[in-house]
Amino acid sequence: MDVWSSLMDGFATALTPMNFLYAVIGVLLGTAVGVLPGLGPAMTVALLLPVTYALEPTSAFIMFAGIYYGGMYGGSTTSILLNTPGESSSVVTAIEGNKMAKAGRAAQALATAAIGSFVAGTIGTALLAVCAPVVVEFAVSLGAPSYFSIMVLALLAVTAVLGSSRLRGFASLGLGLAIGLVGLDVVTGQARLTFGVPLLADGLDIVVVAVAIFAVGEALWVAAHLRRNPLQIIPVGRPWMGKQDWKRSWKPWLRGTAYGFPFGALPAGGAEIPTFLSYVTEKRLSKHPEEFGKGAIEGVAGPEAANNAAAAGTLTPMLALGLPTNATAAVMLAAFTSYGIQPGPQLFSSQGPLVWALIASLFIGNLLLLLINLPLAPMWAKLLQIPRPYLYAGILFFATLGAYSVNLQAFDLVLLLALGALGFMMRRFGLPVLPLILGVILGPRIEKQLRQTLQLSAGDPAGLFSEPIAVVIYIIVAIILVWPFIFKLIRRNRPASTTAIPANSGATVPREAGGSVSHGSHRADGMADGEGDG
């Protein structure tokens, strides 16, 4: 009851005319900036931080909350329409969302993203208000072995199901892990893969890598085929979701929420891992697995819900522990300290009215996001009717602007071009781009958790199995690795059981022959699919 009364007081504060106006401004700014390739909510909050110094702290944080959720949705819009994520957590949305857009179903993809964001954000914010102490207590109880095993599971689960073959998937993952190694070793301080370039000492920024691989790589790929293929205007299609779209979306929304909030609340979590795992889950559970890689609506609904639920979950360790788990939370932490407020266990007691107004504004911003963006879905979809030379010239402009604004270094533009060429070559040879992005994001985190685990166990590998959760996850990893071989053995043994069937049953022979032919054609088709990944 105390939580309920505190939340009602927060709504009373957040719904004052001036604070409500700041929430509207924050949602509009976050969405507008999130749509630009490479410009996300973290950069928006950072740019607006000096402007809000004259504001009262409560009004400033209500505005930041609107920017946070608005930027998350804006990133999904550019992922769906232009195959260019505005945030690393929107990477997964680009896989199926952009294929839906190219099939004339951009409005449906944007609508399921908006509604899924609203459902997951509302549930996640409610969990933030009610379950924050319990979730934080559980998160703090997890050690480095559990975090390491969770990340290994995320790497293997995603890489194993993408691309035309596991070999291509793991090759892409290897490239991502190698890129993630660039910079100074956090323990020894030794330079790795910097080639004597001082500007590489801090590593490669994930925004630069994601924008290069997706935006620049896609633009180069389109340019290479522009003369060969006739210019086609992509149809917008029906403006709203149909009954079948709703039926296929509501379960992924709930499953994505179930993934997103707990991972977002983990001190070593974030929005990337749950979006990857949500995509894998929907691919496994879907009644239409053949549509994945060609524009399955479940592949948009689940990851988008996970993304926004994680956005709410991310605020749990930031407010309760003073521990930010993504860039936006880190900027908000800096904003708290600039106002002389220290997030941590005492924040709810020392700054209760501000915290509850912030949580209430998340509910308000989430509703505003739905009311503003759902009617605009058909209008956003019409961006696809812009001729491709003009469209991709604009993408390259904003990609360059986004990459340069990360560190204000011209060297980042060189990296953008080099990694963009890598993205083009990956499309050319059928390597999926998602495992590379996953390797870049999780590689440094996995290395950190592995080192902490081995330091705690004095170098004994048995330390990796020192926590029950880690043991359970390793069992799941083993099943993922072994299951394809077991499945092949089962399939091999099946024809042997049908050899007793009379030779005149013509169905058996064509089925076997067709199986081998389809397997070979699957490789060829798979490469074509792989070229279009991302």
Side-chain angles (χ1 to χ4, degrees), residues 398-487:
F398 285 114
T400 304
L401 180 65
Y404 180 73
S405 60
V406 172
N407 299 308
L408 299 179
Q409 292 281 356
F411 182 69
D412 283 341
L413 301 182
V414 178
L415 293 177
L416 186 75
L417 185 59
L419 292 172
L422 175 62
F424 171 81
M425 296 303 293
M426 291 179 70
R427 286 166 172 79
R428 169 64 183 83
F429 292 104
L431 270 67
V433 298
L434 184 58
L436 181 144
I437 300 296
L438 182 63
V440 175
I441 294 172
L442 294 187
R445 299 187 192 180
I446 286 180
E447 181 187 13
K448 178 182 177 182
Q449 300 299 334
L450 176 61
R451 287 192 169 188
Q452 287 183 359
T453 301
L454 294 178
Q455 286 173 352
L456 291 172
S457 63
D460 186 358
L464 296 171
F465 306 92
S466 59
E467 295 185 2
I469 293 178
V471 174
V472 172
I473 292 176
Y474 285 130
I475 292 173
I476 297 173
V477 168
I479 293 172
I480 292 175
L481 292 175
V482 174
W483 173 249
F485 300 102
I486 298 176
F487 186 68

Side-chain angles (χ1 to χ4, degrees), residues 105-242:
R105 286 171 50 78
Q108 285 73 34
L110 290 170
T112 194
I115 299 171
S117 298
F118 171 75
V119 171
T122 302
I123 296 174
T125 306
L127 291 173
L128 168 65
V130 176
C131 305
V134 179
V135 174
V136 169
E137 184 178 347
F138 171 73
V140 172
S141 69
L142 293 180
S146 296
Y147 287 134
F148 176 75
S149 61
I150 289 171
M151 293 178 188
V152 169
L153 174 62
L155 283 177
L156 291 180
V158 175
T159 304
V161 299
L162 291 178
S164 54
S165 71
R166 288 194 169 206
L167 181 60
R168 287 191 176 96
F170 281 107
S172 176
L173 177 63
L175 287 172
L177 292 173
I179 293 173
L181 287 175
V182 174
L184 297 179
D185 187 300
V186 293
V187 176
T188 64
Q190 183 178 358
R192 302 184 300 192
L193 301 178
T194 58
F195 305 103
V197 179
L199 291 173
L200 289 176
D202 291 332
L204 302 183
D205 192 280
I206 182 58
V207 171
V208 176
V209 177
V211 169
I213 295 295
F214 278 92
V216 180
E218 180 78 5
L220 293 176
W221 181 254
V222 170
H225 295 80
L226 201 57
R227 292 182 182 274
R228 187 185 310 171
N229 300 329
L231 185 63
Q232 297 178 348
I233 301 299
I234 299 173
V236 173
R238 291 186 298 108
W240 305 112
M241 291 172 64

Side-chain angles (χ1 to χ4, degrees), residues 346-436:
Q346 304 301 320
L347 181 64
F348 279 80
S349 57
S350 63
Q351 298 288 338
L354 185 149
V355 173
W356 288 108
L358 173 63
I359 293 174
S361 70
L362 292 175
F363 285 103
I364 297 169
N366 213 21
L367 180 60
L368 288 172
L369 201 62
L370 183 69
L371 296 177
I372 291 172
N373 285 296
L374 195 57
L376 294 179
M379 187 196 76
W380 287 121
K382 288 184 178 179
L383 287 174
L384 292 171
Q385 295 185 322
I386 300 174
R388 281 184 294 176
Y390 303 118
L391 180 62
Y392 283 94
I395 290 174
L396 286 176
F397 171 77
F398 285 114
T400 304
L401 180 65
Y404 180 73
S405 60
V406 172
N407 299 308
L408 299 179
Q409 292 281 356
F411 182 69
D412 283 341
L413 301 182
V414 178
L415 293 177
L416 186 75
L417 185 59
L419 292 172
L422 175 62
F424 171 81
M425 296 303 293
M426 291 179 70
R427 286 166 172 79
R428 169 64 183 83
F429 292 104
L431 270 67
V433 298
L434 184 58
L436 181 144

Side-chain angles (χ1 to χ4, degrees), residues 245-299:
D245 294 328
W246 281 92
K247 185 178 179 181
R248 293 176 58 178
S249 294
W250 72 271
K251 288 182 180 178
W253 290 336
L254 297 179
R255 283 192 289 262
T257 304
Y259 271 126
F261 184 81
F263 273 96
L266 291 173
E272 292 85 2
I273 296 177
T275 55
F276 294 133
L277 292 181
S278 174
Y279 180 81
V280 174
T281 302
E282 297 310 323
K283 187 171 183 178
R284 295 291 187 191
L285 298 179
S286 175
K287 295 180 180 178
H288 308 276
E290 73 282 354
E291 291 187 17
F292 276 79
K294 300 176 183 177
I297 195 169
E298 297 93 336

